[in-house]
Amino acid sequence: MSAIINALQRHARLRPHAVALQDEHQSLGYEGLARAVERLASVLVRERIAVLGLLLDNGPSWVVADLAASAAGMTLVPLPGFFSDAQLRHALTDAGVDAILTDQPLRFSALGGIGPGSTRLDVAGTALSQLRTQAAPRRPPAGVAKITYTSGTTGAPKGVCLSTTAMEAVAASLLEAVGAEAPQRHLSLLPLATLLENIGGVYLPLLAGATCVVPALEHVGLRGAAGLDAVRMVEALRRYQATSAIFIPQMLQALVSVLEQGAEPLGQLRFLAVGGAPVSPRLLARARTLGLPVYEGYGLSECASVVALNVPGRDRPGSVGRLLPHVRLRFAADGEIEVAGSLFQGYLGAPDASPDAFWPTGDIGHLDESGFLHLTGRKKNMFITSFGRNVAPEWIERELTLSPAIAQAAVFGEARPWNIAVILPRAGATRAEVEAGMRSANRELPDYARVSAWIAADEAFAVMNGQFTATGRPRRAEILKVYGARIDALYEDRHSSEELQA
């Protein structure tokens, strides 16, 4: 039996009425949660389901289904609601999902590949549909408890195969690392289908005997993968008296902006983790000035989520923190970070990975003299200017998006004498305001990293158009497909102008 299920049963015996789960409608004690998990697990076992797909909004029913699948010994495939129909269809077929639990049955009817009829289940007070698929059965590798899909682009996302042992090792390491700052009331602001929220926002609080506050995403201000109502998010943090939450950088910037505009401080907060994409030290400094207990971390799905984390008393802004207790780390000759400890078991359909091997993360970085991990950028994103300078675009983009006028940015400059940014201005921002923001960012950058020209984006970088990941990273190849010709033309125009002047 898993450590999470053991912890749940222990808390149910010792503190049966302590609140384990809460949403906008109900609270569920540890004893009630344990019973709900046991009931659903017995149903799933009777149904002889091998691979269960889960497409639900955030709520107690999501947590119950996740734990019940673990108790029943089956493989769970969390399906993000922001996936396109093509991505959902791929995941169902790729993983050989033979049944689905969902609060959105009509979406699957439109997809096709669903068998006739459905079973209605009441899970933690929510009416769910259990659908049977017509996917060809496919046994995942032995020991795979969860298949989490990368957000993908317009192409097919990859299934990351994870064992219970790997995921629980990360949750236990997080509990050891945060110590006295362990969650008391954790509010989930990210979809529970996101591995980071699943482990840091469900498994960690349940190990600690805390309360997981899991309202529907619209109640915390999140719409789809990128739409955010920051005022509603702040209201949710206050209304639910959250002591902890997990942010991606765009959400933290939105929180900081609302508080800087005069919103009432959130004094009950004790620990806010931020990760998923690089975070500007200037943004962290602004957050700290407002009294926000924000700590940057780092992880990957292939490492079962978190690898390193800053925590109170062991915190170095500009780093992503010290390694969690279970992690081993080394560096390749080119500075690429390689990680061991609680690794995945491979991508679905690809050769198995060894859980004891070192995994090349694709990130460049270094450890400082005190053991804090610093990231430089993604290995595949680094570009070399025509003057031979290595540039990490994430660094420049962090500075650009600190401007109130710049919502998103993607920087390019491979083999060029100067850099260009594709910029999405914030609603209502003028060209002059964007250029003032660009000048402000350039003042923080060395000359070779400065942005000399920009192109206005036609639309937001988003998961649905393949230009953004769910954790807030631009997908450069997809962006370049759309804007490459305009970027080339801008370089050519500037080059022709310089020739004429010469």
Side-chain angles (χ1 to χ4, degrees):
M1 186 176 294
S2 80
I4 303 295
I5 299 297
N6 275 331
L8 171 59
Q9 293 178 345
R10 182 175 65 254
H11 295 315
R13 289 194 306 271
L14 300 178
R15 305 163 58 243
H17 303 300
V19 177
L21 298 177
Q22 181 183 354
D23 68 358
E24 65 273 21
H25 301 300
Q26 63 172 323
S27 296
L28 192 63
Y30 270 93
E31 185 177 52
L33 173 58
R35 286 201 303 265
V37 169
E38 185 178 358
R39 282 197 300 269
L40 182 56
S42 66
V43 170
L44 297 177
V45 169
R46 284 200 307 272
E47 292 289 326
R48 297 184 178 180
I49 298 168
V51 182
L52 177 67
L54 185 63
L55 179 66
L56 297 177
D57 196 355
N58 280 14
S61 58
W62 200 105
V63 178
V64 170
D66 180 30
L67 298 175
S70 176
M74 64 186 55
T75 299
L76 185 73
V77 183
L79 298 166
F82 54 78
F83 264 17
S84 68
D85 287 350
Q87 289 172 326
L88 280 178
R89 196 177 294 111
H90 165 77
L92 295 176
T93 304
D94 187 52
V97 170
D98 50 1
I100 302 162
L101 271 182
T102 184
D103 54 2
Q104 303 163 48
L106 293 180
R107 185 171 184 191
F108 286 100
S109 298
L111 280 182
I114 301 298
S118 67
T119 302
R120 301 287 285 177
L121 298 174
D122 182 288
V123 179
T126 301
L128 302 183
S129 296
Q130 179 189 304
L131 310 175
R132 283 287 182 173
T133 76
Q134 296 172 333
R138 178 175 183 174
R139 287 282 178 181
V144 173
K146 186 165 289 177
I147 301 171
T148 184
Y149 276 87
T150 59
S151 53
T153 63
T154 51
K158 291 188 292 188
V160 176
C161 298
L162 298 165
S163 68
T164 298
T165 300
M167 292 184 287
E168 292 187 338
V170 174
S173 272
L174 283 170
L175 183 59
E176 182 178 343
V178 299
E181 303 303 324
Q184 296 175 344
R185 292 180 58 79
H186 180 90
L187 176 62
S188 289
L189 299 175
L190 300 173
L192 291 170
T194 304
L195 185 63
L196 175 59
E197 190 66 57
N198 188 187
I199 290 179
V202 176
Y203 294 173
L204 169 59
L206 291 181
L207 280 179
T211 299
C212 303
V213 185
V214 287
L217 288 171
E218 68 171 352
H219 288 274
V220 298
L222 194 64
R223 302 182 303 277
L228 178 65
D229 183 334
V231 172
R232 197 165 195 180
M233 178 180 68
V234 172
E235 289 172 349
L237 288 164
R238 182 173 293 112
R239 180 171 65 255
Y240 290 109
Q241 287 295 293
T243 62
S244 66
I246 299 170
F247 290 78
I248 59 175
Q250 289 83 355
M251 296 170 72
L252 177 61
Q253 181 159 346
L255 172 63
V256 167
S257 295
V258 170
L259 294 178
E260 286 178 338
Q261 292 167 18
E264 184 181 343
L266 298 165
Q268 84 282 356
L269 294 172
R270 295 180 60 186
F271 189 87
L272 301 180
V274 58
V279 185
S280 167
R282 287 201 291 160
L283 177 59
L284 289 174
R286 286 166 59 195
R288 296 279 180 90
T289 298
L290 293 165
L292 294 173
V294 179
Y295 299 90
E296 187 175 3
Y298 165 69
L300 306 94
S301 297
E302 291 85 352
C303 300
S305 191
V306 186
V307 168
L309 182 65
N310 283 292
V311 297
R314 297 187 302 280
D315 172 44
R316 180 160 293 179
S319 80
V320 293
R322 286 179 173 163
L323 306 180
L324 292 185
H326 71 279
V327 173
R328 291 176 289 130
L329 184 142
R330 71 185 186 189
F331 297 92
D334 61 0
E336 182 177 5
I337 300 166
E338 298 181 347
V339 175
S342 298
L343 291 184
F344 72 145
Q345 294 183 239
Y347 297 113
L348 199 61
D352 292 354
S354 169
D356 299 320
F358 278 86
W359 174 254
T361 64
D363 292 310
I364 303 295
H366 68 276
L367 283 175
D368 67 21
E369 69 284 353
S370 300
F372 289 90
L373 181 61
H374 296 255
L375 302 183
T376 303
R378 290 289 291 171
K379 183 176 177 179
K380 67 180 181 180
N381 294 340
M382 298 281 286
F383 63 79
I384 303 175
T385 71
S386 60
F387 293 102
R389 301 307 301 263
N390 294 311
V391 178
E394 298 93 338
W395 169 36
I396 307 169
E397 292 154 3
R398 288 198 302 263
E399 298 300 324
L400 287 170
T401 53
L402 285 178
S403 166
I406 298 175
Q408 295 175 315
V411 173
F412 302 90
E414 174 67 33
R416 304 288 194 173
W418 39 270
N419 305 319
I420 285 179
V422 179
I423 289 175
L424 178 73
R426 292 195 186 278
T430 65
R431 187 172 188 89
E433 288 169 335
V434 171
E435 291 178 351
M438 199 166 76
R439 288 193 297 271
S440 176
N442 281 341
R443 285 194 291 270
E444 302 295 323
L445 298 166
D447 58 358
Y448 64 87
R450 292 172 186 158
V451 177
S452 297
W454 67 287
I455 294 168
D458 300 330
E459 60 180 342
F461 308 149
V463 173
M464 297 306 290
N465 63 19
Q467 295 173 14
F468 219 48
T469 72
T471 56
R473 296 176 184 266
R475 294 195 175 277
R476 299 170 200 285
E478 298 302 317
I479 294 169
L480 202 56
K481 287 178 185 177
V482 176
Y483 300 99
R486 277 175 271 179
I487 289 172
D488 290 343
L490 194 54
Y491 278 119
E492 185 60 33
D493 288 347
R494 181 75 66 91
H495 178 66
S496 299
S497 174
E498 289 170 352
E499 285 185 338
L500 288 171
Q501 292 174 10

